[in-house]
Amino acid sequence: NAGVTQTPKFRILKIGQSMTLQCTQDMNHNYMYWYRQDPGMGLKLIYYSVGAGITDKGEVPNGYNVSRSTTEDFPLRLELAAPSQTSVYFCASSYSTGRGHEQYFGPGTRLTVT
Amino acid sequence: SQKIEQNSEALNIQEGKTATLTCNYTNYSPAYLQWYRQDPGRGPVFLLLIRENEKEKRKERLKVTFDTTLKQSLFHITASQPADSATYLCALDESGTASKLTFGTGTRLQVTL
């Protein structure tokens, strides 16, 4: 199993550009999440999904969009990039049976907006 | 307001000693508390989970305690090794559904020879 994979690893965007961060998991997890991590700060939840076709906002959703058309994929879309979106983005997934399951994280995408 | 506090200063200890990291929270009622390890440039990796009705959990050299009255969790690494050097994050799961986590800022542990 590859686990959770993310592409790209690094990206530099100009202000106003758009891009999609890709996330794929091969563990058949129903739950998937997007976080951002700024230096010295904890991970902040952007969006999450409890299954294909279902998404919901997390703590910091403004400026982002997501979709979940399959169990495996959970792309994150930035429509109009702003310097405040410079961050490291992590995708994660977890089991959905029962409660309190650990999350499996991808390697992250480092995004710089200039 | 809700707050999760981990010591922002790095913890430096000598190899072989026990490292103790603290996670304090206010205005949360977590059903679960989790600890993760994060190495530079990598995603967090799950270590341990403890439920609100559990006082202590162990896994090899790791031990976690959870005191819902003090609103505190302690994370211990016994017989620490230089390979244990990393940032350790605590995370609270209040929701019980979707396993949504709220993370602390993490504590960097440096184990020296």
Side-chain angles (χ1 to χ4, degrees):
Chain A
N1 285 352
V4 180
T5 56
Q6 293 183 238
T7 56
K9 285 186 168 38
F10 304 93
R11 182 73 186 267
I12 298 175
L13 279 183
K14 293 192 185 307
I15 295 171
Q17 286 185 321
S18 62
M19 76 165 293
T20 299
L21 282 67
Q22 302 291 346
C23 174
T24 300
Q25 54 90 10
D26 63 358
M27 297 174 281
N28 202 31
H29 287 168
N30 275 333
Y31 292 174
M32 294 189 74
Y33 314 83
W34 273 106
Y35 296 90
R36 60 176 288 171
Q37 186 176 36
D38 300 320
M41 306 291 286
L43 287 91
K44 301 287 186 187
L45 183 64
I46 305 171
Y47 270 95
Y48 68 99
S49 169
V50 299
I54 306 169
T55 63
D56 208 345
K57 295 177 182 178
E59 185 182 354
V60 289
N62 291 345
Y64 308 94
N65 276 302
V66 294
S67 59
R68 185 94 183 270
S69 57
T70 67
T71 299
E72 296 77 21
D73 300 305
F74 190 39
L76 178 72
R77 179 88 178 156
L78 282 70
E79 290 294 350
L80 289 170
S84 61
Q85 293 178 306
T86 294
S87 189
V88 181
Y89 291 84
F90 290 101
C91 178
S93 69
S94 73
Y95 291 105
S96 57
T97 54
R99 296 174 59 186
H101 291 287
E102 67 268 29
Q103 296 187 8
Y104 296 79
F105 283 81
T109 294
R110 185 174 296 274
L111 175 67
T112 301
V113 182
T114 60
Chain B
S1 62
Q2 292 182 315
K3 199 185 303 184
I4 303 172
E5 290 180 313
Q6 293 185 257
N7 195 339
S8 58
E9 291 183 14
L11 177 63
N12 295 297
I13 66 164
Q14 205 170 17
E15 183 181 21
K17 303 289 187 187
T18 296
T20 299
L21 286 70
T22 304
C23 176
N24 294 302
Y25 59 91
T26 53
N27 294 322
Y28 283 101
S29 297
Y32 306 88
L33 189 145
Q34 301 185 18
W35 283 89
Y36 288 78
R37 169 185 173 138
Q38 187 173 24
D39 291 289
R42 294 181 174 267
V45 174
F46 172 79
L47 296 174
L48 279 170
L49 177 152
I50 189 164
R51 294 174 171 75
E52 61 181 333
N53 59 353
E54 296 177 317
K55 296 292 186 190
E56 183 179 297
K57 202 79 168 281
R58 291 175 185 261
K59 179 182 175 183
E60 297 172 353
R61 294 186 295 112
L62 308 180
K63 184 178 85 171
V64 172
T65 62
F66 192 12
D67 189 324
T68 54
T69 301
L70 289 179
K71 296 187 182 300
Q72 180 182 78
S73 174
L74 299 178
F75 178 79
H76 306 272
I77 305 175
T78 57
S80 57
Q81 305 164 0
D84 295 325
S85 299
T87 296
Y88 291 86
L89 307 169
C90 74
L92 307 184
D93 178 356
E94 262 194 313
S95 64
T97 59
S99 294
K100 290 191 297 178
L101 296 177
T102 304
F103 282 84
T105 54
T107 297
R108 191 164 62 87
L109 173 66
Q110 185 71 40
V111 181
T112 55
L113 295 170

